[in-house]
Amino acid sequence: TRGQKESIMPRTTFLLTEINVLRAYFRILFLPMGQNIDHDHPLAKTLMDLKTFFSLLGLLSIFAAAICRFKKNRLLSFCVLLFFLMLSVELLIPQSDVIMEHRLYLPMAAFAVFLTASLAGFFEKNIKIAFFILSAAALVFSGLVYQRNFVWKNELTLWNDAVMKSPNKARPYNN
């Protein structure tokens, strides 16, 4: 349209790609390995791509479960819906960078409350087990953060890591 900046990519391509990006975000939340300052994420062209199709099914299942379980467990449902709401602003505006880990910072709060409440509910009878699991997870994630600090030590180590993980992108080489 007139007066608007031309889009980075077709809106359909961006939205289909974001379906896969959401799956990648969940992977990063549950298993924060392979992190990268500049991901080289493939673009999705059609919903018939199996990864995109199954990613959409998974996301719709999570969303539907949150809606269906709202009366039984409002906190968990609220956390899921809040997570998607916090990401929606970034996901609906086409951008050249389809995946950026910093977009998870705010939604991660909803994820943390969801995870904690889920464990507390699952181990309601024996809260010590939930405490042990959360403590073990905190120790493991703290170790991963410590290791990641070596990558963020300086610009050279950060961008060398990006070059190794995204060898087909120009920006890591440029930086």
Side-chain angles (χ1 to χ4, degrees):
T1 61
R2 256 189 258 166
Q4 290 182 344
K5 195 166 89 173
E6 195 166 314
S7 179
I8 306 298
M9 69 185 75
R11 184 175 291 280
T12 307
T13 301
F14 183 78
L15 289 174
L16 289 171
T17 302
E18 289 305 305
I19 291 169
N20 292 326
V21 166
L22 279 168
R23 178 179 38 83
Y25 283 158
F26 278 111
R27 185 202 51 79
I28 289 169
L29 287 171
F30 282 103
L31 190 63
M33 299 177 80
Q35 294 173 311
N36 189 357
I37 192 165
D38 200 3
H39 289 269
D40 189 9
H41 201 280
L43 299 180
K45 304 268 192 246
T46 175
L47 190 56
M48 293 303 114
D49 173 53
L50 285 179
K51 282 185 180 180
T52 307
F53 182 74
F54 284 115
S55 294
L56 179 62
L57 277 180
L59 293 170
L60 289 175
S61 299
I62 292 168
F63 193 78
I67 298 293
C68 291
R69 304 279 303 166
F70 187 76
K71 285 188 177 181
K72 276 198 162 200
N73 198 327
R74 291 179 187 256
L75 178 61
L76 295 181
S77 294
F78 176 75
C79 288
V80 170
L81 298 174
L82 185 61
F83 179 84
F84 283 115
L85 180 66
M86 286 192 243
L87 275 174
S88 69
V89 175
E90 298 282 346
L91 300 177
L92 297 177
I93 302 167
Q95 302 169 39
S96 59
D97 293 315
V98 293
I99 181 170
M100 298 296 285
E101 293 172 5
H102 70 267
R103 292 181 187 148
L104 279 176
Y105 291 170
L106 188 58
M108 205 180 312
F111 175 76
V113 172
F114 174 86
L115 199 58
T116 306
S118 295
L119 277 172
F122 190 73
F123 293 107
E124 192 174 359
K125 303 281 188 236
N126 193 346
I127 203 72
K128 289 179 183 178
I129 293 174
F131 180 76
F132 175 77
I133 291 171
L134 285 172
S135 298
L139 282 172
V140 169
F141 289 149
S142 295
L144 291 172
V145 168
Y146 181 77
Q147 284 183 323
R148 189 77 181 143
N149 282 333
F150 290 109
V151 172
W152 282 81
K153 180 179 172 183
N154 58 48
E155 288 184 33
L156 185 61
T157 58
L158 179 64
W159 289 108
N160 274 337
D161 180 69
V163 165
M164 289 188 310
K165 292 176 181 168
S166 300
N168 297 321
K169 285 190 86 172
R171 186 171 37 200
Y173 289 101
N174 186 45
N175 287 324

